[in-house]
Amino acid sequence: MKQLLLLIAFFAYSNIQMHAQSNNELIVADMQAYGYATSLKDSVIYVTEIMKLPVARVDKKTGFLSKRAEYSNQLKDYMTSIGVEHATCAVIFNRNKVKLNKVFIKMLNKAQKKKNFVIKTISEQDFTFKDPMTGM
């Protein structure tokens, strides 16, 4: 009986947590992002193309993309699959594609000034971000 009550309490608590989390997030359909990956053991900087995220959840208070770490982990997993170990990955995002493109170009220009680095673009055919909640 005690186990049943604990199980019910657990499900009630997790349902409340899921509801609270969803109340703090907005789902936006127009989020754009690109990924950036580099390894300290390599002189190559990997950059994905700017792509539209399938479903993006944004924190209501900060406007930050929720689950940013999961998006970075997707890119890190891809980098590992192509043989780049210990990559440091970041996801840069914006709802405004023009603003994101400016950031993208600025980042590429800074990387090109570093003469000992090579920039490789990862095409959308090779890698795309998936929704961390559904995996699609």
Side-chain angles (χ1 to χ4, degrees), residues 28-34 51-57 65-66 71 74 91-94 128-131:
V28 294
D30 58 349
M31 185 64 74
Q32 309 287 326
Y34 71 90
M51 59 187 81
K52 184 177 178 182
L53 296 180
V55 175
R57 290 165 184 81
L65 181 65
S66 297
Y71 287 107
Q74 288 176 26
V91 176
I92 296 84
F93 62 93
N94 199 318
T128 55
F129 291 110
K130 295 177 176 59
D131 180 18

Side-chain angles (χ1 to χ4, degrees), residues 113-124:
K113 287 181 183 177
K114 298 176 182 179
K115 300 196 187 313
N116 54 345
F117 283 97
V118 176
I119 300 169
K120 288 191 178 178
T121 304
I122 301 169
S123 73
E124 203 167 338

Side-chain angles (χ1 to χ4, degrees), residues 3-119:
Q3 290 175 338
L4 180 62
L5 288 175
L6 285 173
L7 187 63
I8 292 170
F10 171 76
F11 282 119
Y13 176 76
S14 61
N15 192 20
I16 290 169
Q17 288 294 84
M18 285 176 36
H19 184 68
Q21 183 178 6
S22 65
N23 284 342
N24 291 331
E25 295 178 340
L26 292 173
I27 296 177
V28 294
D30 58 349
M31 185 64 74
Q32 309 287 326
Y34 71 90
Y36 176 92
T38 187
S39 175
L40 295 174
K41 297 180 178 182
D42 198 357
S43 62
V44 180
I45 297 171
Y46 297 88
V47 181
T48 69
E49 296 175 347
I50 294 176
M51 59 187 81
K52 184 177 178 182
L53 296 180
V55 175
R57 290 165 184 81
V58 178
D59 187 280
K60 284 182 182 179
K61 292 180 184 177
T62 63
F64 275 16
L65 181 65
S66 297
K67 311 277 185 215
R68 290 183 308 283
E70 282 84 353
Y71 287 107
S72 293
N73 286 336
Q74 288 176 26
L75 182 56
K76 185 173 181 124
D77 292 343
Y78 171 77
M79 298 304 296
T80 302
S81 76
I82 63 169
V84 180
E85 296 292 326
H86 309 293
T88 301
C89 301
V91 176
I92 296 84
F93 62 93
N94 199 318
R95 291 180 74 177
N96 185 326
K97 190 171 185 173
V98 174
K99 288 182 181 179
L100 185 63
N101 198 36
K102 285 182 184 179
V103 172
F104 183 78
I105 291 169
K106 187 176 179 180
M107 183 272 311
L108 284 178
N109 289 337
K110 280 185 178 182
Q112 288 171 344
K113 287 181 183 177
K114 298 176 182 179
K115 300 196 187 313
N116 54 345
F117 283 97
V118 176
I119 300 169

